[in-house]
Amino acid sequence: MSSTIDRPPPAQHGGTALPPIGLWWPMLEGPLRREILENLDAPLRTVVVRRILELCEADAGVPRTPVRLDENERAYIAGWMHAVDWS
């Protein structure tokens, strides 16, 4: 049994896939992380997407369409939150 879900094809994902979350989530600043955690289903603000791309040194420009976390990214964050709560 796997804890990840297959990514939808690019057409369903809107073609706005972010770099792998395992690269940028640990480096993302606390205020931006908290903003994402407030509503995991909300579209990410342009400034957040731009910062994610900067952290990953991605050459891609900021997409014009709204960027949302996919199911795998939300699952990663849920696992991260669970691991952090183990104190």
XYZ file of all heavy atoms in Angstrom:
687
model
N 0.841 -1.178 0.000
C 0.000 0.000 0.000
C 0.884 1.238 0.000
O 1.824 1.327 0.772
C -0.912 -0.028 1.210
C -1.845 1.137 1.272
S -2.976 0.836 2.630
C -3.914 2.297 2.518
N 0.566 2.177 -0.826
C 1.367 3.384 -0.969
C 0.668 4.564 -0.311
O -0.555 4.627 -0.259
C 1.579 3.667 -2.459
O 2.243 4.890 -2.608
N 1.453 5.509 0.194
C 0.860 6.689 0.811
C 0.804 7.860 -0.156
O 0.461 8.962 0.234
C 1.668 7.086 2.054
O 2.977 7.412 1.674
N 1.141 7.620 -1.413
C 1.067 8.690 -2.403
C 0.030 8.344 -3.455
O -0.340 7.194 -3.631
C 2.422 8.932 -3.088
O 2.825 7.734 -3.746
C 3.470 9.369 -2.091
N -0.398 9.358 -4.129
C -1.393 9.205 -5.178
C -0.730 9.618 -6.477
O 0.040 10.580 -6.507
C -2.610 10.106 -4.886
C -3.221 9.699 -3.544
C -3.640 10.039 -6.006
C -4.236 10.677 -3.018
N -1.015 8.890 -7.554
C -0.430 9.246 -8.837
C -0.827 10.663 -9.214
O -1.960 11.084 -8.988
C -0.896 8.289 -9.934
C -0.341 6.892 -9.734
O 0.724 6.781 -9.093
O -0.974 5.948 -10.201
N 0.138 11.389 -9.774
C -0.161 12.751 -10.237
C -1.110 12.680 -11.416
O -0.988 11.810 -12.272
C 1.118 13.463 -10.679
C 1.974 13.897 -9.547
C 3.103 14.763 -10.101
N 4.000 15.133 -9.039
C 3.845 16.210 -8.278
N 2.840 17.003 -8.473
N 4.716 16.489 -7.333
N -2.069 13.614 -11.468
C -2.944 13.638 -12.637
C -2.159 14.085 -13.855
O -1.109 14.722 -13.721
C -4.013 14.673 -12.257
C -3.417 15.482 -11.174
C -2.400 14.620 -10.492
N -2.652 13.762 -15.041
C -1.976 14.230 -16.256
C -1.896 15.753 -16.242
O -2.721 16.414 -15.621
C -2.871 13.739 -17.390
C -3.798 12.762 -16.791
C -3.830 12.980 -15.326
N -0.923 16.353 -16.946
C -0.769 17.806 -16.941
C -2.031 18.582 -17.292
O -2.269 19.637 -16.751
C 0.331 18.050 -17.985
C 1.109 16.782 -18.004
C 0.118 15.687 -17.700
N -2.858 18.059 -18.173
C -4.077 18.780 -18.544
C -4.987 18.952 -17.336
O -5.603 19.982 -17.148
C -4.810 18.041 -19.653
N -5.090 17.932 -16.474
C -5.938 18.027 -15.297
C -5.286 18.886 -14.224
O -5.953 19.498 -13.428
C -6.207 16.643 -14.716
C -7.075 15.780 -15.572
C -7.262 14.410 -14.980
O -6.538 13.992 -14.083
N -8.241 13.695 -15.476
N -3.975 18.901 -14.191
C -3.255 19.654 -13.161
C -3.102 21.110 -13.566
O -2.604 21.919 -12.821
C -1.876 19.007 -12.932
C -1.188 19.484 -11.698
N -1.735 19.334 -10.445
C -0.009 20.118 -11.516
C -0.913 19.847 -9.551
N 0.144 20.332 -10.179
N -3.538 21.453 -14.764
C -3.460 22.826 -15.217
C -2.089 23.189 -15.773
O -1.832 24.321 -16.108
N -1.167 22.225 -15.862
C 0.143 22.507 -16.382
C 0.967 23.421 -15.485
O 1.917 24.040 -15.932
N 0.583 23.553 -14.222
C 1.250 24.487 -13.318
C 1.957 23.753 -12.189
O 2.024 24.243 -11.075
C 0.229 25.475 -12.737
O -0.779 24.728 -12.049
C -0.407 26.334 -13.807
N 2.459 22.570 -12.476
C 3.111 21.778 -11.439
C 4.302 22.535 -10.847
O 5.089 23.138 -11.555
C 3.565 20.440 -12.003
N 4.390 22.495 -9.538
C 5.516 23.089 -8.827
C 6.677 22.109 -8.829
O 6.488 20.918 -9.076
C 5.103 23.383 -7.381
C 3.994 24.408 -7.194
C 3.511 24.389 -5.749
C 4.479 25.782 -7.575
N 7.875 22.574 -8.501
C 8.965 21.623 -8.301
C 8.583 20.646 -7.186
O 7.662 20.919 -6.411
C 10.137 22.521 -7.871
C 9.801 23.878 -8.374
C 8.298 23.959 -8.336
N 9.284 19.533 -7.055
C 8.945 18.564 -6.008
C 8.917 19.227 -4.622
O 9.827 19.956 -4.245
C 10.070 17.532 -6.097
C 10.552 17.643 -7.512
C 10.402 19.090 -7.879
N 7.851 18.968 -3.892
C 7.649 19.618 -2.599
C 8.747 19.292 -1.590
O 9.077 20.101 -0.735
C 6.248 19.284 -2.027
C 5.936 20.192 -0.823
C 6.142 17.800 -1.689
C 4.511 20.162 -0.390
N 9.348 18.128 -1.718
C 10.436 17.757 -0.811
C 11.642 18.674 -0.932
O 12.455 18.764 -0.016
N 11.751 19.368 -2.050
C 12.845 20.327 -2.235
C 12.545 21.666 -1.582
O 13.380 22.253 -0.912
C 13.116 20.548 -3.732
C 13.594 19.342 -4.531
C 13.731 19.723 -6.000
C 14.920 18.847 -3.983
N 11.345 22.189 -1.801
C 11.075 23.558 -1.364
C 10.414 23.685 -0.009
O 10.630 24.672 0.686
C 10.273 24.321 -2.419
C 8.952 23.734 -2.822
C 8.715 22.918 -3.881
C 7.681 23.956 -2.202
N 7.388 22.604 -3.962
C 6.725 23.238 -2.941
C 7.256 24.685 -1.091
C 5.371 23.224 -2.612
C 5.907 24.685 -0.759
C 4.989 23.958 -1.517
N 9.610 22.723 0.421
C 8.899 22.872 1.704
C 9.852 23.046 2.887
O 9.651 23.944 3.705
C 7.942 21.705 1.924
C 7.137 21.856 3.185
C 7.347 21.223 4.375
C 6.008 22.722 3.393
N 6.422 21.628 5.289
C 5.588 22.546 4.716
C 5.325 23.614 2.588
C 4.501 23.233 5.259
C 4.253 24.298 3.121
C 3.847 24.109 4.444
N 10.904 22.239 3.007
C 11.813 22.431 4.154
C 12.523 23.787 4.147
O 12.901 24.290 5.199
C 12.835 21.301 3.998
C 12.167 20.279 3.150
C 11.264 21.055 2.223
N 12.697 24.395 2.978
C 13.405 25.671 2.884
C 12.474 26.882 2.950
O 12.937 28.005 3.133
C 14.196 25.740 1.564
C 15.298 24.731 1.446
S 16.309 24.971 -0.029
C 15.178 24.586 -1.355
N 11.183 26.667 2.782
C 10.232 27.771 2.735
C 10.148 28.467 4.091
O 10.106 27.812 5.135
C 8.849 27.247 2.330
C 7.811 28.279 1.923
C 8.261 29.031 0.673
C 6.479 27.604 1.670
N 10.133 29.785 4.064
C 10.094 30.570 5.282
C 8.796 30.327 6.059
O 7.747 30.065 5.473
C 10.218 32.066 4.950
C 11.565 32.453 4.400
C 11.714 32.232 2.900
O 10.759 31.771 2.254
O 12.812 32.508 2.377
N 8.891 30.442 7.375
C 7.756 30.196 8.263
C 6.481 30.941 7.910
O 5.405 30.325 7.863
N 6.532 32.263 7.670
C 5.285 32.969 7.346
C 4.613 32.444 6.075
O 3.383 32.331 6.028
C 5.737 34.425 7.159
C 6.992 34.536 7.960
C 7.654 33.185 7.857
N 5.408 32.096 5.073
C 4.820 31.555 3.846
C 4.274 30.155 4.086
O 3.225 29.781 3.545
C 5.844 31.556 2.714
C 6.337 32.933 2.261
C 7.371 32.798 1.159
C 5.189 33.814 1.829
N 4.967 29.377 4.896
C 4.483 28.043 5.249
C 3.140 28.142 5.977
O 2.210 27.401 5.679
C 5.510 27.372 6.173
C 5.821 25.976 5.789
C 6.678 25.339 6.819
N 8.026 25.208 6.304
C 9.064 24.878 7.019
N 8.936 24.654 8.303
N 10.242 24.757 6.479
N 3.060 29.060 6.947
C 1.806 29.222 7.696
C 0.666 29.667 6.779
O -0.471 29.227 6.948
C 1.996 30.214 8.841
C 2.733 29.597 10.022
C 2.744 30.501 11.233
N 3.585 31.684 11.047
C 4.896 31.715 11.200
N 5.537 30.619 11.545
N 5.570 32.830 11.027
N 0.980 30.523 5.827
C -0.040 30.956 4.872
C -0.603 29.766 4.101
O -1.815 29.650 3.913
C 0.565 31.974 3.908
C -0.409 32.469 2.873
C 0.202 33.484 1.930
O 1.062 34.278 2.351
O -0.196 33.481 0.752
N 0.261 28.888 3.668
C -0.183 27.693 2.939
C -1.003 26.796 3.857
O -2.049 26.266 3.465
C 1.022 26.935 2.349
C 1.674 27.771 1.242
C 0.599 25.565 1.817
C 2.988 27.220 0.736
N -0.551 26.629 5.106
C -1.240 25.749 6.045
C -2.633 26.248 6.422
O -3.485 25.460 6.810
C -0.401 25.566 7.313
C 0.873 24.742 7.138
C 1.730 24.827 8.393
C 0.543 23.301 6.811
N -2.872 27.554 6.306
C -4.186 28.107 6.640
C -5.282 27.503 5.777
O -6.399 27.310 6.236
C -4.187 29.628 6.485
C -3.475 30.334 7.608
C -3.463 31.843 7.427
O -4.228 32.371 6.590
O -2.672 32.483 8.125
N -4.975 27.238 4.521
C -5.956 26.622 3.627
C -5.201 25.900 2.522
O -4.807 26.510 1.526
C -6.903 27.674 3.042
C -8.016 27.047 2.231
O -8.021 25.841 1.967
N -8.976 27.854 1.823
N -5.009 24.604 2.700
C -4.238 23.814 1.739
C -4.899 23.713 0.375
O -4.244 23.388 -0.604
C -3.986 22.410 2.296
C -3.076 22.326 3.511
C -3.048 20.894 4.045
C -1.678 22.805 3.177
N -6.202 23.982 0.308
C -6.921 23.881 -0.964
C -6.965 25.201 -1.732
O -7.355 25.221 -2.895
C -8.354 23.390 -0.725
C -8.374 21.978 -0.163
O -7.572 21.159 -0.631
O -9.188 21.712 0.741
N -6.575 26.282 -1.096
C -6.638 27.601 -1.742
C -5.524 27.741 -2.772
O -4.452 27.146 -2.633
C -6.510 28.695 -0.690
N -5.752 28.556 -3.788
C -4.665 28.827 -4.740
C -3.532 29.568 -4.028
O -3.782 30.374 -3.126
C -5.301 29.723 -5.802
C -6.733 29.870 -5.454
C -6.983 29.234 -4.134
N -2.312 29.277 -4.419
C -1.156 29.938 -3.825
C -1.018 31.337 -4.417
O -1.207 31.525 -5.621
C 0.114 29.140 -4.098
C 0.126 27.699 -3.593
C 1.432 27.024 -4.003
C -0.056 27.646 -2.098
N -0.676 32.298 -3.561
C -0.451 33.650 -4.065
C 0.777 33.655 -4.967
O 1.688 32.843 -4.812
C -0.226 34.637 -2.917
C -1.477 34.937 -2.135
C -1.292 36.048 -1.118
N -0.070 35.887 -0.325
C 0.790 36.875 -0.061
N 0.593 38.087 -0.528
N 1.863 36.648 0.680
N 0.808 34.587 -5.884
C 1.916 34.695 -6.830
C 3.252 34.822 -6.113
O 4.243 34.206 -6.513
C 1.698 35.892 -7.771
O 0.447 35.713 -8.437
C 2.796 36.006 -8.796
N 3.296 35.589 -5.028
C 4.553 35.771 -4.300
C 5.048 34.448 -3.707
O 6.254 34.189 -3.653
C 4.417 36.871 -3.214
C 3.494 36.436 -2.083
C 5.764 37.271 -2.676
N 4.135 33.588 -3.300
C 4.513 32.282 -2.749
C 5.066 31.398 -3.859
O 6.115 30.763 -3.696
C 3.309 31.607 -2.046
C 3.673 30.216 -1.562
C 2.809 32.470 -0.893
N 4.386 31.363 -4.996
C 4.852 30.560 -6.134
C 6.226 31.058 -6.586
O 7.140 30.266 -6.839
C 3.838 30.598 -7.296
C 4.389 29.884 -8.522
C 2.512 29.996 -6.867
N 6.377 32.371 -6.667
C 7.664 32.943 -7.079
C 8.773 32.526 -6.110
O 9.866 32.151 -6.535
C 7.566 34.469 -7.138
C 8.798 35.125 -7.707
C 8.632 36.628 -7.877
N 7.597 36.908 -8.879
C 6.520 37.673 -8.648
N 6.334 38.226 -7.489
N 5.651 37.876 -9.612
N 8.498 32.544 -4.805
C 9.510 32.160 -3.815
C 9.862 30.677 -3.939
O 11.030 30.293 -3.837
C 9.019 32.485 -2.396
C 10.019 32.167 -1.333
C 11.278 33.007 -1.509
N 12.268 32.629 -0.512
C 13.567 32.563 -0.739
N 14.057 32.887 -1.913
N 14.397 32.202 0.209
N 8.862 29.832 -4.180
C 9.108 28.401 -4.357
C 10.033 28.184 -5.552
O 11.001 27.420 -5.473
C 7.777 27.634 -4.527
C 7.009 27.624 -3.206
C 8.015 26.214 -5.038
C 5.571 27.160 -3.326
N 9.746 28.869 -6.648
C 10.578 28.729 -7.844
C 11.996 29.240 -7.588
O 12.967 28.649 -8.066
C 9.935 29.451 -9.020
C 8.591 28.874 -9.492
C 7.967 29.763 -10.553
C 8.742 27.449 -9.981
N 12.125 30.322 -6.822
C 13.454 30.842 -6.477
C 14.233 29.836 -5.634
O 15.424 29.611 -5.861
C 13.334 32.149 -5.691
C 12.927 33.335 -6.507
C 12.661 34.564 -5.644
O 12.858 34.517 -4.406
O 12.239 35.592 -6.214
N 13.566 29.250 -4.647
C 14.239 28.285 -3.775
C 14.770 27.096 -4.559
O 15.816 26.540 -4.218
C 13.283 27.799 -2.677
C 12.943 28.808 -1.588
C 11.822 28.267 -0.701
C 14.175 29.144 -0.748
N 14.042 26.700 -5.583
C 14.435 25.542 -6.387
C 15.278 25.944 -7.598
O 15.626 25.090 -8.411
C 13.195 24.778 -6.839
S 12.294 24.069 -5.459
N 15.567 27.224 -7.702
C 16.338 27.740 -8.832
C 15.729 27.297 -10.161
O 16.434 26.919 -11.097
C 17.804 27.334 -8.716
C 18.468 27.873 -7.462
C 19.903 27.423 -7.300
O 20.391 26.595 -8.103
O 20.532 27.891 -6.346
N 14.410 27.335 -10.206
C 13.682 26.946 -11.424
C 13.649 28.111 -12.398
O 13.448 29.256 -11.992
C 12.269 26.514 -11.061
N 13.867 27.824 -13.651
C 13.882 28.850 -14.681
C 12.484 29.224 -15.148
O 12.313 30.232 -15.829
C 14.688 28.378 -15.891
C 16.169 28.255 -15.567
O 16.633 28.962 -14.650
O 16.851 27.450 -16.223
N 11.508 28.417 -14.802
C 10.144 28.662 -15.264
C 9.601 29.955 -14.669
O 9.870 30.283 -13.516
C 9.247 27.495 -14.864
N 8.840 30.676 -15.468
C 8.186 31.879 -14.984
C 6.969 31.507 -14.152
O 6.513 30.363 -14.156
N 6.454 32.483 -13.434
C 5.259 32.257 -12.626
C 4.071 32.068 -13.562
O 3.827 32.902 -14.440
C 5.009 33.445 -11.674
C 3.738 33.241 -10.875
C 6.206 33.635 -10.744
N 3.340 30.970 -13.413
C 2.197 30.710 -14.294
C 1.103 31.755 -14.112
O 0.946 32.318 -13.036
C 1.706 29.332 -13.860
C 2.598 28.867 -12.792
C 3.555 29.925 -12.441
N 0.365 31.978 -15.160
C -0.746 32.938 -15.103
C -1.984 32.334 -14.472
O -2.810 33.044 -13.933
C -1.087 33.424 -16.506
C 0.008 34.246 -17.115
C -0.396 34.706 -18.489
N 0.731 35.353 -19.134
C 0.627 36.456 -19.827
N -0.542 37.025 -19.991
N 1.697 36.992 -20.367
N -2.119 31.029 -14.553
C -3.277 30.363 -13.962
C -3.009 30.085 -12.493
O -1.853 29.965 -12.074
C -3.574 29.035 -14.688
O -2.410 28.205 -14.609
C -3.940 29.273 -16.147
N -4.063 29.994 -11.684
C -3.863 29.724 -10.255
C -3.134 28.404 -10.027
O -3.370 27.417 -10.722
C -5.287 29.649 -9.702
C -6.145 30.339 -10.710
C -5.463 30.157 -12.027
N -2.239 28.406 -9.057
C -1.483 27.214 -8.699
C -2.024 26.703 -7.364
O -2.127 27.457 -6.403
C 0.026 27.524 -8.570
C 0.786 26.305 -8.098
C 0.571 28.032 -9.887
N -2.376 25.437 -7.347
C -2.873 24.797 -6.121
C -2.003 23.587 -5.825
O -1.436 22.985 -6.725
C -4.317 24.332 -6.295
C -5.300 25.443 -6.527
C -6.693 24.870 -6.787
N -7.615 25.884 -7.217
C -8.350 26.614 -6.404
N -8.286 26.416 -5.107
N -9.160 27.531 -6.880
N -1.946 23.234 -4.567
C -1.238 22.012 -4.187
C -2.048 20.818 -4.653
O -3.274 20.803 -4.537
C -1.062 21.943 -2.671
C -0.236 23.061 -2.040
C -0.216 22.893 -0.518
C 1.174 23.086 -2.582
N -1.365 19.803 -5.159
C -2.081 18.591 -5.556
C -2.188 17.656 -4.355
O -1.733 17.964 -3.257
C -1.429 17.929 -6.774
C -0.041 17.375 -6.512
O 0.331 17.165 -5.348
O 0.695 17.147 -7.494
N -2.807 16.515 -4.558
C -3.045 15.575 -3.453
C -1.749 15.074 -2.831
O -1.657 14.926 -1.613
C -3.894 14.399 -3.937
C -5.312 14.805 -4.288
C -6.107 13.637 -4.816
O -6.414 12.746 -3.998
O -6.390 13.625 -6.020
N -0.740 14.799 -3.650
C 0.540 14.324 -3.121
C 1.212 15.403 -2.270
O 1.806 15.106 -1.234
C 1.480 13.897 -4.245
C 1.102 12.568 -4.841
O 0.459 11.753 -4.198
N 1.497 12.352 -6.075
N 1.135 16.637 -2.709
C 1.745 17.736 -1.959
C 1.034 17.945 -0.630
O 1.675 18.150 0.401
C 1.736 19.013 -2.807
C 2.674 18.904 -4.002
C 2.400 19.900 -5.099
O 1.282 20.440 -5.187
O 3.330 20.134 -5.900
N -0.290 17.858 -0.641
C -1.039 17.983 0.622
C -0.734 16.813 1.548
O -0.614 16.991 2.763
C -2.534 18.094 0.331
C -2.907 19.414 -0.332
C -4.408 19.666 -0.374
N -5.163 18.613 -1.011
C -5.469 18.558 -2.304
N -5.061 19.517 -3.117
N -6.180 17.574 -2.787
N -0.560 15.614 0.983
C -0.201 14.451 1.803
C 1.191 14.622 2.403
O 1.422 14.263 3.561
C -0.264 13.175 0.962
N 2.125 15.172 1.645
C 3.476 15.429 2.148
C 3.407 16.375 3.348
O 4.033 16.135 4.377
C 4.340 16.033 1.044
C 5.739 16.390 1.494
C 6.788 15.502 1.334
C 6.005 17.616 2.103
C 8.072 15.820 1.750
C 7.280 17.949 2.527
C 8.310 17.057 2.344
O 9.577 17.370 2.775
N 2.632 17.447 3.203
C 2.513 18.425 4.290
C 1.860 17.787 5.514
O 2.280 18.028 6.645
C 1.745 19.671 3.813
C 2.595 20.426 2.785
C 1.375 20.572 4.983
C 1.873 21.562 2.082
N 0.840 16.958 5.305
C 0.192 16.283 6.423
C 1.187 15.387 7.154
O 1.245 15.355 8.388
C -1.002 15.467 5.940
N 2.018 14.659 6.406
C 3.035 13.815 7.023
C 4.080 14.637 7.748
O 4.523 14.284 8.842
N 4.460 15.750 7.172
C 5.425 16.656 7.795
C 4.869 17.200 9.111
O 5.560 17.222 10.115
C 5.750 17.788 6.835
C 6.646 18.830 7.403
C 8.005 18.810 7.456
C 6.260 20.064 8.007
N 8.487 19.953 8.051
C 7.417 20.732 8.402
C 5.015 20.662 8.245
C 7.377 21.969 9.027
C 4.990 21.891 8.867
C 6.157 22.527 9.243
N 3.596 17.602 9.098
C 2.967 18.137 10.317
C 2.905 17.056 11.385
O 3.144 17.322 12.557
C 1.578 18.685 10.006
C 1.623 19.970 9.210
S 0.007 20.577 8.699
C -0.904 20.548 10.209
N 2.597 15.832 10.990
C 2.528 14.724 11.936
C 3.907 14.466 12.549
O 4.024 14.269 13.759
C 2.014 13.467 11.231
C 1.920 12.274 12.120
N 0.965 12.176 13.113
C 2.665 11.150 12.191
C 1.141 11.019 13.740
N 2.161 10.383 13.197
N 4.947 14.508 11.743
C 6.302 14.276 12.233
C 6.745 15.399 13.176
O 7.411 15.149 14.175
C 7.282 14.161 11.065
N 6.354 16.610 12.880
C 6.723 17.749 13.723
C 6.018 17.681 15.067
O 6.566 18.089 16.075
C 6.408 19.080 12.984
C 6.561 20.277 13.902
C 7.306 19.229 11.769
N 4.815 17.141 15.097
C 4.032 17.066 16.332
C 4.509 15.979 17.284
O 3.969 15.843 18.372
C 2.552 16.831 16.016
C 1.897 18.068 15.415
O 2.447 19.162 15.578
O 0.835 17.918 14.790
N 5.519 15.200 16.928
C 5.986 14.073 17.747
C 6.852 14.491 18.923
O 7.472 13.666 19.552
C 6.777 13.084 16.895
C 5.886 12.136 16.197
C 5.406 12.248 14.935
C 5.334 10.923 16.704
N 4.608 11.194 14.617
C 4.546 10.362 15.694
C 5.428 10.258 17.916
C 3.849 9.169 15.852
C 4.737 9.062 18.068
C 3.972 8.545 17.066
N 6.928 15.751 19.263
C 7.839 16.212 20.323
C 7.558 15.668 21.672
O 7.085 14.807 22.114
C 7.770 17.714 20.444
O 6.448 18.175 20.523
